[in-house]
């Protein structure tokens, strides 16, 4: 590919989630991607120098207290005045995690006590206010041309969805900096787009020509490259027409950006070794099916006694749901799955967040009905999730909307077949099972038609029956061959797989910073003087 370079490309990821403060797929992708980039080599040469910057949530990052070092003070605009924030840094292996801490009068903005609060208004912290503050500080920080060795000097900003969309606009319009290139990563469909009255975005030095602002549109327009988190999801963003004017406006931006060769669909990766249970939960790589049966016995033992009359039958196929219990993920299907598979499978759901519907199903069925276990407990999830993934025979993904669906490749890495609606990028991951030759089963999943308004979906019933019939009719040897093949084939979803996600990101980055043919990165030009005032001084920690 000719991608060897002497110096790694410096990439700073910008996101609201990372590491311990991870609520959903965006945070998991950001966390895994930064780590994978820092470990990625070609011909023994490191290709990326990746770091990330997030808000400093004092409660969610409480474990950083003894390790975070102050590395800079930043002057930036907020509420129409110059404020001074601090930048801290925590080193996690090869990764530097930078954190924005507001001055005392604004520290309430990031005082989230629970993970779901990252994306919601709280009594003391309106969401858009913390997004404005964070974006303003990040833009001022990276704009400084004299940041030292304790700071990122990014050639590329990897912007994780619309919550970071103000950064490229601030760099271009306020700081007159076009040297730092930006890649805008679209993790979420256009239903989540950040529409605000422009008056709500006042106070950080930007001017708007209309009364309403769509934050996602700002990211699409002001970034140098747009990456959707799967090729199929990108096609949906370009081709799916809407009656809603805002959604259609965004579609047209995607379409025009595509004409300009500004868009690309790159499937999210996974750190395969982290999810594949070989050498961890599964000791005998030659007998995956037997090992899964043993793990289910272990799960049953772990759960024994949680309810006197409740039973978890380890001899039945295990159906596993992992994900948020939010409406777009389809948890209203749990009731039907429980009815349709009673006596033929165990159903386990592990997730975050809560809705009235999921709570009702939990109360009525979980640890009340045999072979049903639904939990939102962080403690139970930490205790059981690795065993549940390794033991699962079927991973259930009933999403109504999904840009990619990380749980798909994560399930495949554990040798599980997927039962799914196949929306969004899921069809870039899941291939329909063909078991006409039971000794050589091709594919890894079963699709069903999504019917979000239906009280009972016959297509879901049919898909579940197909999956369970497979486990009822195949021999142990045939099941072992199928599960082993699925597990090993999932290596192609690793971030660093041949021609995989990181290879594609490397090509994008190189095209933006114009790495010449001798493979030596050109030095960045210093940005033009900023109308914002004097460059802020940095405080370096030795």
């Amino acid at each position: 590919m000719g991608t060897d370079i002497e110096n790694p490309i410096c990439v700073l990821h910008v996101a609201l989630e990372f590491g311990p403060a991870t609520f959903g797929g965006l945070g998991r992708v950001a966390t895994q991607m930064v780590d994978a980039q820092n470990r990625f080599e070609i011909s023994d040469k490191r290709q990326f120098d990746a770091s990330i910057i997030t808000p400093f949530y004092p409660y969610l990052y409480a474990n950083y207290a003894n390790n975070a070092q102050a590395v800079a003070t930043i002057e930036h605009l907020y509420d129409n005045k110059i404020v001074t924030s601090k930048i801290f840094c925590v080193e996690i292996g090869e990764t530097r995690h930078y954190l924005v801490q507001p001055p005392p009068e604004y520290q309430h903005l990031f005082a989230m006590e629970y993970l779901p609060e990252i994306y919601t208004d709280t009594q003391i912290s309106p969401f858009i206010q913390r997004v404005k503050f964070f974006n303003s500080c990040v833009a001022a920080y990276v704009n400084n041309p004299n940041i030292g060795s304790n700071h990122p000097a990014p050639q590329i900003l990897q912007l994780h969805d619309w919550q970071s969309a103000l950064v490229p606009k601030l760099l271009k319009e306020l700081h007159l900096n076009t040297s730092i290139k930006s890649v805008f990563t679209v993790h979420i469909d256009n239903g989540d787009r950040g529409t605000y009255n422009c008056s709500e975005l006042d106070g950080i030095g930007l001017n708007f020509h209309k009364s309403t602002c769509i934050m996602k549109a700002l990211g699409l327009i002001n970034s140098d490259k747009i990456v959707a988190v799967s090729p199929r999801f990108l096609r949906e963003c370009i081709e799916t027409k809407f009656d809603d004017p805002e959604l259609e406006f965004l579609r047209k931006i995607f379409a025009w950006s595509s004409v300009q060769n500004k868009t690309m669909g790159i499937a999210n990766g996974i750190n395969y070794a982290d999810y594949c249970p070989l050498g961890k939960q599964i000791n005998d790589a030659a007998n995956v099916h037997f090992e899964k049966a043993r793990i289910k016995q272990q799960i049953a033992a772990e759960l024994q006694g949680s309810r006197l009359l409740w039973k978890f039958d380890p001899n039945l196929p295990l159906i596993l749901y992992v994900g948020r219990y939010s409406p777009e993920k389809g948890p209203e299907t749990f009731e039907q799955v429980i009815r349709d598979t009673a006596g033929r499978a165990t159903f386990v759901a592990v997730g975050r967040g809560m809705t009235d519907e999921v709570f009702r199903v939990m109360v009525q069925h979980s640890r009340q009905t045999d072979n049903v276990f639904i939990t939102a407990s962080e403690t139970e999830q930490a205790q059981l999730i690795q065993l549940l993934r390794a033991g699962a025979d079927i991973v259930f993904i009933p999403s109504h909307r999904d840009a990619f669906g990380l749980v798909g490749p994560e399930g495949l890495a554990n040798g599980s077949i997927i039962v799914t609606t196949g929306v969004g990028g899921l069809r870039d991951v899941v291939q329909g099972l063909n078991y006409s030759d039971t000794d050589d089963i091709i594919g890894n999943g079963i699709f069903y038609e999504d019917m979000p308004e239906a009280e009972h979906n016959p297509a879901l019933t049919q898909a579940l029956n197909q999956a369970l019939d497979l486990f009822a009719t195949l021999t142990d040897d045939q099941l072992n061959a199928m599960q082993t093949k699925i597990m090993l084939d999932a290596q192609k979803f690793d971030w660093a797989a041949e021609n995989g996600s990181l290879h594609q990101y490397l090509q994008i980055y190189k095209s933006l910073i114009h790495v010449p043919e001798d493979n030596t990165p050109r030095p960045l030009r210093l940005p033009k003087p900023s109308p914002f005032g004097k460059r802020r001084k940095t405080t370096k920690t030795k």
Side-chain angles (χ1 to χ4, degrees):
M1 289 173 38
T3 54
D4 290 353
I5 55 177
E6 291 296 331
N7 301 309
I9 296 174
C10 188
V11 186
L12 179 64
H13 294 254
V14 183
L16 295 190
E17 298 180 63
F18 181 77
T22 292
F23 177 60
L26 186 153
R28 287 162 60 208
V29 168
T31 301
Q32 291 188 33
M33 186 177 182
V34 175
D35 173 65
Q37 285 185 337
N38 282 327
R39 292 185 289 106
F40 184 64
E41 295 181 348
I42 295 177
S43 300
D44 296 324
K45 293 179 181 178
R46 183 176 171 184
Q47 303 298 301
F48 304 99
D49 177 10
S51 55
I52 189 164
I53 189 165
T54 70
F56 199 156
Y57 306 112
Y59 300 109
L60 302 181
Y61 288 124
N63 62 331
Y64 281 10
N66 297 325
N67 299 316
Q69 294 184 338
V71 294
T73 56
I74 308 299
E75 290 182 344
H76 61 104
L77 278 171
Y78 180 72
D79 203 18
N80 288 312
K81 60 184 179 183
I82 295 177
V83 299
T84 303
S85 296
K86 290 183 179 180
I87 304 294
F88 288 80
C89 183
V90 173
E91 293 190 5
I92 308 166
E94 296 292 325
T95 296
R96 286 160 291 133
H97 180 191
Y98 296 92
L99 303 110
V100 172
Q101 183 189 72
E105 62 267 34
Y106 294 115
Q107 287 185 5
H108 63 278
L109 288 175
F110 298 155
M112 283 58 262
E113 296 188 48
Y114 307 102
L115 290 172
E117 292 180 337
I118 291 175
Y119 290 105
T120 61
D121 293 331
T122 70
Q123 288 185 336
I124 60 173
S125 177
F127 179 64
I128 189 57
Q129 294 302 317
R130 79 180 80 113
V131 167
K132 278 169 45 179
F133 192 100
F134 175 62
N135 279 247
S136 174
C137 185
V138 170
Y141 181 42
V142 301
N143 178 62
N144 191 305
N146 300 313
I147 50 183
S149 59
N150 288 325
H151 309 276
Q155 296 161 284
I156 301 289
L157 293 178
Q158 184 88 31
L159 306 169
H160 290 274
D161 226 287
W162 65 261
Q163 297 86 2
S164 56
L166 294 172
V167 173
K169 186 173 176 67
L170 284 162
L171 282 174
K172 290 179 180 179
E173 297 182 10
L174 181 63
H175 300 294
L176 303 181
N177 184 336
T178 58
S179 296
I180 302 173
K181 303 304 179 182
S182 57
V183 176
F184 187 70
T185 308
V186 183
H187 292 265
I188 313 164
D189 68 35
N190 293 338
D192 187 349
R193 55 192 180 270
T195 301
Y196 292 94
N197 189 298
C198 288
S199 62
E200 296 181 85
L201 303 177
D202 284 344
I204 59 173
L206 294 176
N207 295 312
F208 297 93
H209 304 297
K210 296 182 179 181
S211 60
T212 301
C213 174
I214 304 173
M215 297 276 279
K216 181 164 283 188
L218 293 183
L220 297 173
I221 292 168
N222 289 286
S223 60
D224 297 291
K225 204 78 172 180
I226 300 164
V227 174
V229 294
S230 75
R232 188 175 295 270
F233 174 50
L234 176 60
R235 290 201 297 274
E236 289 183 359
C237 291
I238 294 170
E239 298 172 1
T240 305
K241 295 186 177 181
F242 297 93
D243 293 329
D244 184 306
E246 288 187 1
L247 294 176
E248 184 61 11
F249 175 61
L250 289 171
R251 186 194 69 80
K252 289 179 178 178
I253 297 175
F254 271 106
W256 178 242
S257 299
S258 177
V259 171
Q260 295 177 307
N261 199 30
K262 185 178 171 179
T263 60
M264 189 168 180
I266 301 179
N268 283 329
I270 61 170
N271 291 335
Y272 179 81
D274 291 345
Y275 288 96
C276 180
L278 290 176
K280 293 175 285 189
Q281 285 79 23
I282 290 181
N283 300 314
D284 183 358
N287 204 335
V288 170
H289 183 62
F290 172 81
E291 290 281 82
K292 279 182 171 286
R294 178 186 57 77
I295 290 167
K296 285 186 286 187
Q297 294 281 353
Q298 187 176 346
I299 295 168
E302 292 275 354
L303 295 175
Q304 186 175 8
S306 58
R307 291 290 188 275
L308 182 62
L309 300 178
W310 177 75
K311 296 182 181 66
F312 183 101
D313 189 344
N315 299 307
L316 297 176
L318 170 56
I319 302 173
L320 176 65
Y321 171 94
V322 179
R324 296 194 312 276
Y325 294 138
S326 50
E328 72 274 10
K329 298 296 184 181
E332 81 285 348
T333 57
F334 291 177
E335 182 82 50
Q336 179 176 342
V337 174
I338 292 167
R339 290 197 310 266
D340 284 352
T341 64
R344 296 190 295 154
T346 57
F347 176 70
V348 177
V350 179
R352 285 176 170 162
M354 187 52 63
T355 64
D356 291 342
E357 193 162 30
V358 173
F359 183 74
R360 178 183 58 78
V361 175
M362 285 179 64
V363 170
Q364 292 182 356
H365 297 284
S366 181
R367 287 169 272 200
Q368 309 294 328
T369 305
D370 287 353
N371 302 314
V372 178
F373 179 78
I374 302 171
T375 182
S377 163
E378 296 284 340
T379 301
E380 288 183 329
Q381 178 167 328
Q383 175 189 356
L384 296 169
I385 187 61
Q386 297 301 325
L387 286 174
L388 289 169
R389 287 187 190 275
D393 299 295
I394 300 165
V395 166
F396 179 50
I397 311 176
S399 298
H400 304 308
R401 295 161 40 202
D402 221 323
F404 178 67
L406 271 178
V407 71
E410 292 166 359
L412 297 177
N414 286 273
S416 307
I417 68 170
I418 311 296
V419 172
T420 181
T421 54
V423 298
L426 286 165
R427 286 186 182 266
D428 289 324
V429 174
V430 181
Q431 294 180 323
L433 277 171
N434 182 342
Y435 41 92
S436 55
D437 180 354
T438 52
D439 290 317
D440 185 20
I441 294 176
I442 299 170
N444 54 30
I446 298 171
F447 297 108
Y448 69 91
E449 183 183 355
D450 186 28
M451 299 180 184
E453 303 301 324
E455 185 173 337
H456 178 87
N457 182 350
L460 172 56
T461 300
Q462 182 179 9
L464 292 169
N465 287 338
Q466 282 182 281
L468 294 181
D469 286 347
L470 197 65
F471 285 91
T473 58
L474 293 182
T475 67
D476 287 347
D477 286 343
Q478 290 169 334
L479 287 170
N480 183 62
M482 178 187 73
Q483 292 174 321
T484 302
K485 184 176 181 180
I486 289 172
M487 178 180 289
L488 296 178
D489 283 351
Q491 292 179 78
K492 66 185 178 184
F493 299 112
D494 188 84
W495 283 107
E498 185 177 358
N499 299 320
S501 301
L502 291 190
H503 288 271
Q504 296 175 65
Y505 273 107
L506 181 61
Q507 293 301 96
I508 287 178
Y509 294 166
K510 288 180 64 179
S511 71
L512 290 176
I513 61 176
H514 307 297
V515 176
E517 290 303 315
D518 63 2
N519 295 323
T520 303
R522 293 174 181 168
L524 287 174
R525 298 187 304 274
L526 293 181
K528 299 176 183 178
S530 168
F532 180 60
K534 295 181 179 179
R535 303 285 187 189
R536 53 103 172 120
K537 296 180 180 179
T538 61
T539 303
K540 299 180 187 177
T541 301
K542 300 295 184 184

